[in-house]
């Protein structure tokens, strides 16, 4: 005898399924909203582009550093006119071991390379020079990048003195001081074997040994271990601005790091014209370039050497005009000028932020979950990493943003009226401006 099918039980189950189906239909039909239209804006409102100036510390004395940052970052009355109040960072050196710039004067007081702002005196790790000043400016936000460990450029390119022991000592002291740069910018000529990121077996970058495990100059394991995420690998760009400022680089030791584009030269009929000196700011920054950056909605990082000159003031009239032009683009809400670390972190967050949209009871929730960095892995979002992240929404008043399951405080939220696209938006506030004059509470005698 075969098993009898229990038709009564089957009927009940089918009936329950139908009831459940009708209930879901009714719930959706009456209470659920159509999926909210949420789209990430390219840049923090109201800006349409982002720009950073990444300056190498070459030739900069503490006096020059204070002089030009007072003009760039504060709104004080300075010898070059009223300060611009821009968020512009800088780089630093731990060591000085060059012989290639003698007897070149680094300022208008006939100082030579030993007057340049460095953490140690020469390469003597028992003798600190401007360590306190570097630490202070790092904390102030005026320093965010390490320009290699130091200046190891030599007249004889075959010499290479920045070996692993100096890298280890540098990180030991930086860690003790709480200095954590997450941008590395290669410096100088082929004697700087510690450089890395552009190695090829022949040609210009074949000297780079920093990521070669077999080399006495190997140190990129320390770079990664100490939290450096971004690298300028000595390859400059002639393009002014890109859709994304970052690109992945695989190092020879297997580690990965974000390379970033830096505009530093123009191609001319005569060849390459390097524009990364303070006297060429007016060549770098032009109305056409800034307008183009805005219309393309691009990122731009400009390479500079603010302290590279040796006149009484870092910038002359036409360069001051170029910098004021840049400031006017920020003041009118077109280009956000940000220190390089902020631009790069924003770029990563914008490219790799994982978020979820849900709509309930007529309100839309944007839940910021993680940054799925393809090179450094996925990690929960912190508010500083998503500062400036903005979403186009139908009605900002009906939207709330959460971060790791916590509602983001209204103090951190910015609701925006419609922009050029006609769409309103909501986002996490960008960093508050800081135009404090940090030169006023520090002595710089060099
Ligand atoms: Zn340099």
């Amino acid at each position: 005898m075969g098993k009898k099918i229990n038709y009564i039980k089957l009927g009940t189950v089918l009936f329950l399924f139908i009831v459940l189906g009708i209930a879901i239909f009714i719930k959706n039909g009456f209470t659920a909203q159509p999926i909210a239209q949420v789209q990430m804006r390219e840049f923090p409102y109201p800006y349409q582009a982002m720009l950073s100036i990444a300056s190498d510390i070459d030739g900069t004395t503490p006096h020059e550093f204070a002089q030009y940052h007072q003009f760039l970052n504060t709104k004080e009355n300075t010898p070059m006119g009223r300060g611009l109040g821009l968020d512009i960072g800088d780089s630093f050196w731990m060591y000085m071991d060059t012989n290639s710039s003698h007897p070149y004067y680094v300022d208008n007081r006939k100082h030579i390379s030993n007057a340049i702002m460095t953490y140690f005196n020469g390469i003597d790790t028992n003798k600190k020079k401007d360590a306190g000043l570097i630490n202070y400016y790092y904390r102030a936000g005026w320093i965010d990048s390490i320009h290699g460990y130091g200046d190891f450029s030599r007249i004889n390119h075959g010499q290479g003195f920045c070996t692993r022991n100096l890298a280890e000592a540098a990180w030991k002291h930086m860690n003790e001081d709480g200095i954590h740069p997450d941008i590395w910018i290669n410096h100088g000529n082929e004697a700087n074997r510690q450089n890395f990121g552009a190695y090829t077996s022949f040609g210009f970058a074949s000297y780079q040994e920093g990521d070669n495990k077999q080399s006495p100059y190997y140190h990129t394991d320390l770079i990664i271990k100490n939290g450096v995420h971004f690298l300028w690998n000595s390859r400059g760009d002639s393009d002014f601005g890109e859709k994304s400022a970052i690109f992945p680089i695989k190092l020879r030791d297997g580690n990965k790091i974000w390379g970033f584009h830096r505009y530093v030269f123009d191609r001319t009929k005569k060849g390459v014209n390097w524009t990364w000196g303070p006297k060429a700011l007016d060549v770098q920054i032009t109305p056409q370039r800034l307008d183009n950056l805005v219309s393309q909605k691009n990122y731009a990082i400009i390479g500079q050497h603010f302290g590279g000159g040796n006149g009484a003031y870092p910038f002359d009239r036409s360069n001051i005009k170029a910098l004021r032009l840049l400031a006017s683009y920020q003041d009118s809400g077109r280009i956000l000028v940000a220190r390089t670390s902020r631009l790069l972190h924003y770029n990563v967050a914008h490219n790799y932020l994982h978020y979820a949209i849900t709509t309930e009871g007529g309100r839309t929730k944007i839940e910021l979950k993680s940054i799925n960095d393809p090179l450094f892995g996925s990690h929960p979002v912190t508010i500083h990493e998503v500062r400036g992240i903005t979403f186009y929404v139908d009605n900002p008043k009906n939207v709330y943003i959460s971060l790791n399951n916590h509602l983001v405080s209204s103090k951190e939220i910015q609701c925006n009226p419609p922009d050029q696209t006609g769409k309103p938006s909501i986002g996490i506030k960008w960093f508050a401006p800081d135009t404090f004059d940090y030169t006023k509470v520090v002595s710089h005698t060099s």
Side-chain angles (χ1 to χ4, degrees):
M1 294 278 286
K3 251 190 181 174
K4 264 193 181 174
I5 299 168
N6 188 334
Y7 287 105
I8 297 170
K9 269 193 181 170
L10 190 65
T12 312
V13 170
L14 275 174
F15 176 73
L16 287 175
F17 265 113
I18 290 164
V19 169
L20 190 67
I22 291 169
I24 288 169
F25 176 77
I26 290 171
K27 184 177 183 292
N28 283 352
F30 289 98
T31 61
Q33 306 290 316
I35 295 296
Q37 293 296 308
V38 174
Q39 194 194 355
M40 213 190 280
R41 199 179 187 277
E42 277 91 345
F43 295 102
Y45 178 91
Y47 304 103
Q48 293 164 268
M50 205 186 276
L51 182 148
S52 169
I53 305 183
S55 187
D56 300 349
I57 201 68
D58 311 32
T60 306
T61 64
H63 175 76
E64 289 171 324
F65 184 97
Q67 203 180 29
Y68 65 72
H69 275 290
Q70 189 186 44
F71 175 67
L72 296 170
N73 296 62
T74 83
K75 294 200 166 179
E76 301 294 311
N77 289 314
T78 81
M80 287 172 281
R82 186 154 192 260
L84 304 173
L86 295 174
D87 180 22
I88 293 180
D90 215 311
S91 57
F92 73 101
W93 271 335
M94 299 296 285
Y95 305 111
M96 176 52 64
D97 198 19
T98 185
N99 64 357
S100 62
S101 55
H102 296 290
Y104 167 73
Y105 296 131
V106 298
D107 61 9
N108 65 330
R109 301 164 188 205
K110 300 200 172 174
H111 283 121
I112 57 168
S113 61
N114 63 3
I116 291 170
M117 185 163 81
T118 54
Y119 188 98
F120 293 115
N121 203 347
I123 55 167
D124 185 348
T125 54
N126 293 313
K127 251 186 168 172
K128 290 186 180 178
K129 185 174 164 275
D130 304 309
L133 206 52
I134 288 167
N135 196 349
Y136 171 77
Y137 285 133
Y138 172 78
R139 262 154 237 299
W142 286 6
I143 287 177
D144 62 0
S145 311
I146 184 163
H147 189 33
Y149 295 118
D151 187 357
F152 291 87
S153 290
R154 311 289 297 180
I155 294 166
N156 175 359
H157 294 187
Q159 293 178 326
F161 294 140
C162 189
T163 44
R164 185 177 174 88
N165 57 318
L166 289 180
E168 284 169 345
W171 285 113
K172 177 178 168 285
H173 284 272
M174 279 189 270
N175 283 328
E176 279 170 11
D177 284 4
I179 299 174
H180 304 294
D182 59 4
I183 301 171
W184 169 285
I185 297 172
N186 279 346
H187 161 75
N189 69 21
E190 293 90 327
N192 293 274
R193 305 284 164 75
Q194 68 280 10
N195 284 346
F196 61 97
Y199 174 82
T200 46
S201 53
F202 55 89
F204 151 72
S206 58
Y207 74 95
Q208 295 192 357
E209 290 289 310
D211 58 344
N212 176 7
K213 273 187 176 175
Q214 320 307 330
S215 165
Y217 306 101
Y218 176 60
H219 68 98
T220 46
D221 56 329
L222 305 175
I223 289 289
I224 300 299
K225 194 178 103 187
N226 286 290
V228 176
H229 280 203
F230 305 101
L231 158 71
W232 187 71
N233 66 356
S234 300
R235 290 202 186 279
D237 282 76
S238 60
D239 287 342
F240 189 95
E242 292 84 14
K243 269 286 150 218
S244 180
I246 55 173
F247 57 94
I249 291 179
K250 190 167 184 209
L251 301 177
R252 279 191 283 171
D253 65 356
N255 281 309
K256 289 174 188 158
I257 193 163
W258 287 115
F260 63 90
H261 295 287
R262 207 160 65 132
Y263 158 74
V264 289
F265 68 87
D266 291 334
R267 292 184 197 282
T268 67
K269 281 179 187 157
K270 289 181 196 158
V272 163
N273 179 31
W274 293 87
T275 59
W276 59 359
K279 292 265 155 39
L281 273 160
D282 57 339
V283 179
Q284 293 189 313
I285 300 171
T286 64
Q288 292 80 0
R289 278 193 168 141
L290 299 184
D291 286 342
N292 198 37
L293 199 69
V294 171
S295 66
Q296 298 293 312
K297 296 187 172 151
N298 275 353
Y299 295 89
I301 300 175
I302 302 176
Q304 253 298 332
H305 292 86
F306 284 135
N310 54 12
Y313 302 107
F315 314 124
D316 64 19
R317 190 187 285 255
S318 55
N319 307 123
I320 289 171
K321 201 175 151 202
L323 288 164
R324 287 206 187 282
L325 176 76
L326 175 63
S328 76
Y329 274 72
Q330 168 160 291
D331 295 343
S332 59
R334 286 174 284 174
I335 298 176
L336 176 58
V337 179
R339 68 185 73 160
T340 312
S341 52
R342 286 179 175 173
L343 180 148
L344 292 171
H345 278 288
Y346 178 84
N347 199 159
V348 169
H350 192 270
N351 290 11
Y352 302 110
L353 178 63
H354 174 52
Y355 60 95
I357 313 291
T358 47
T359 302
E360 219 177 289
R363 298 201 72 199
T364 297
K365 180 166 90 167
I366 304 174
E367 197 180 343
L368 311 183
K369 288 169 172 280
S370 56
I371 291 175
N372 298 345
D373 186 321
L375 303 192
F376 292 94
S378 175
H379 63 271
V381 179
T382 63
I383 192 145
H384 288 309
E385 286 175 301
V386 288
R387 288 212 171 276
I389 290 288
T390 302
F391 298 92
Y392 286 119
V393 293
D394 296 333
N395 181 2
K397 293 211 163 54
N398 270 342
V399 175
Y400 59 103
I401 300 179
S402 81
L403 199 146
N404 300 322
N405 293 321
H406 295 289
L407 197 64
V408 177
S409 152
S410 59
K411 278 184 280 178
E412 302 286 9
I413 297 289
Q414 184 180 308
C415 291
N416 311 308
D419 63 10
Q420 304 77 8
T421 66
K423 288 178 279 187
S425 58
I426 185 171
I428 311 278
K429 279 185 185 164
W430 186 246
F431 299 87
D434 178 7
T435 58
F436 182 77
D437 185 0
Y438 292 97
T439 67
K440 285 206 168 142
V441 281
V442 69
S443 69
H444 37 82
T445 49
S446 295

